Amino acid sequence: MPYSKEHKRRTREQILRAASHAFRAEGVGAVAIPKLMGQVGLTHGGFYAHFESKDALVAEACAAAFGEGGENLLTKVAEGAPGDELRAIIRAYLSRSHRDTPEVGCALPSLAAEIAREPAPVRHAFTQAVSGYLQQLGAYMPTSPADADAPDDASHDAIGDDALVLLSGMAGALLLARAVDDPALSDRILRTSRAFYTRTFAEKGGEAEAGKTT
Amino acid sequence: MPYSKEHKRRTREQILRAASHAFRAEGVGAVAIPKLMGQVGLTHGGFYAHFESKDALVAEACAAAFGEGGENLLTKVAEGAPGDELRAIIRAYLSRSHRDTPEVGCALPSLAAEIAREPAPVRHAFTQAVSGYLQQLGAYMPTSPADADAPDDASHDAIGDDALVLLSGMAGALLLARAVDDPALSDRILRTSRAFYTRTFAEKGGEAEAGKTT
DNA sequence: TGTACATCAGTGAACGCGCGTTCACTGATGTAC
DNA sequence: TGTACATCAGTGAACGCGCGTTCACTGATGTAC
């Protein structure tokens, strides 16, 4: 046998990691396989020993960007602020640092518009990944994950209404903050949204459960 | 003189309109000049009699997509519901029809991620257009357009905090509803967000001003 | 321990393709006489 | 009113380029003896 199984696995992971960063930073359409392989220190031909096509890579990289194994932005931030997870998540999501480093940030604001135009398998992988992300976020929210209503279409797992609104709202704010070319306006979008979502979802008047803090 | 000035103006406008639709539906990178000119019934070479480059077209089409002259989504919807403009805007923005026809919808969810990676002139045109849009939206909101605080950076025109949060939040919800491949989940994102933004911004407990309705 | 061998990750030339843009041209048009 | 002319919107072949993908190859490696 040539090389080791471990060697191939590592190369594949390197490609996947580079892709998940590049896609978020530059967009799926702007990332070329030759350039991507160059970043990993290989030539373009070798790509097809690891992935069937660019589309297959996009699908996998989407999942990776949201952090399928639980090692993602949400858990990392939450671990750093025990007892105050939700406020910490909102603060981090709507930070200048998140705005300025899309390559390691949430894939929703950077990729969702392009994913919506991608073929079915890619959209499916994205949906699965974002669903997991939403469930994770919901676990940190005051209202319990599954709401008691909606008797007609009670299916899509355990995603809470609040998590849906919070994540999509923060994603929209980050999207706008990144697009705008006036730094003062961009900062203001972050500040205003941070205050709004903290006040609405991470303080007493949330939805259920009252608690600590003034 | 050949043809008339009017003739040239009309052709230019046709290209611009086709571009603003195609960009929103397919993304800037996926729209090719040859295909675009074909849609207008012309060949690709003629494009450069009307626009200096594709980038110049993108910048103008962004402005057009938001409706620079005041003839846009917001005013159209508001006119149809005198006295209840804000609720009507939220309902229309987060409707299935808006989700399913991006080519004539708001440019924020469909184009912002790509615009953030575009050269400076394009980003500037986008920022101007979205600022106007935000001001227009603010005019329909309970709180007055310019807030009384922020003495250090009081510059960016008259965009209210509420308008910032509402537009970016709705854009994020539409973005997510379009990306997801599960129709039930997509509908739920729209329904939940519509209820949330209506409750938060278009009912008595808004920010200031109490009024009608129960 | 040393050598022959089979495997297959990685190489790089080549493919067909569509892109944005240029340019010599053509032919429909409004104006001057 | 009818004809000659100048203008320039629109044509379409051509440019250089980089894309995704294929494929005959090469050479580093783990295994068998």
Side-chain angles (χ1 to χ4, degrees), chain A residues 23-28 108-117 120 123-128 130-131 134 145 147 150 153 155-156 158-162 164-165 167-182 184-185 188-189 191-193 196-197 199-201 207, chain B residues 23-28 108-117 120 123-128 130-131 134 145 147 150 153 155-156 158-162 164-165 167-182 184-185 188-189 191-193 196-197 199-201 207:
Chain A
F23 287 153
R24 280 177 278 180
E26 299 162 40
V28 171
L108 187 51
S110 43
L111 293 182
E114 226 173 336
I115 295 296
R117 301 159 189 140
R123 294 186 65 204
H124 192 70
F126 183 87
T127 305
Q128 292 299 108
V130 85
S131 292
L134 280 161
D147 298 308
D153 63 325
S155 53
H156 15 71
I159 299 169
D161 283 349
D162 284 0
L164 236 36
V165 172
L167 183 64
S168 65
M170 293 197 302
L174 204 61
L175 183 73
L176 185 57
R178 279 178 183 156
V180 138
D181 83 331
D182 173 353
L185 179 57
R188 193 176 148 217
I189 292 160
R191 250 187 294 119
T192 305
S193 300
F196 173 80
Y197 290 110
R199 183 184 346 123
T200 305
F201 292 107
E207 201 86 3
Chain B
F23 288 153
R24 280 176 279 179
E26 300 162 38
V28 170
L108 187 50
S110 43
L111 292 183
E114 226 173 335
I115 295 297
R117 300 159 189 141
R123 294 185 66 203
H124 192 69
F126 183 88
T127 305
Q128 293 298 109
V130 84
S131 292
L134 279 160
D147 299 308
D153 63 326
S155 52
H156 14 73
I159 299 170
D161 283 348
D162 284 359
L164 236 36
V165 172
L167 183 63
S168 65
M170 292 198 301
L174 204 62
L175 183 72
L176 185 57
R178 279 177 182 156
V180 139
D181 84 331
D182 173 353
L185 179 56
R188 191 174 151 220
I189 293 159
R191 250 186 293 118
T192 304
S193 300
F196 173 81
Y197 290 111
R199 184 184 346 126
T200 305
F201 292 108
E207 201 86 4

Side-chain angles (χ1 to χ4, degrees), chain A residues 5-45:
Chain A
K5 286 235 149 130
E6 178 60 19
H7 173 83
K8 181 166 189 187
R9 202 194 54 75
R10 252 201 322 252
T11 303
R12 197 190 135 93
E13 204 127 303
Q14 276 180 62
I15 299 171
L16 199 56
R17 173 184 297 272
S20 111
H21 288 197
F23 287 153
R24 280 177 278 180
E26 299 162 40
V28 171
V31 173
I33 303 295
K35 280 191 275 174
L36 190 66
M37 292 301 281
Q39 271 176 36
V40 179
L42 299 173
T43 54
H44 59 278

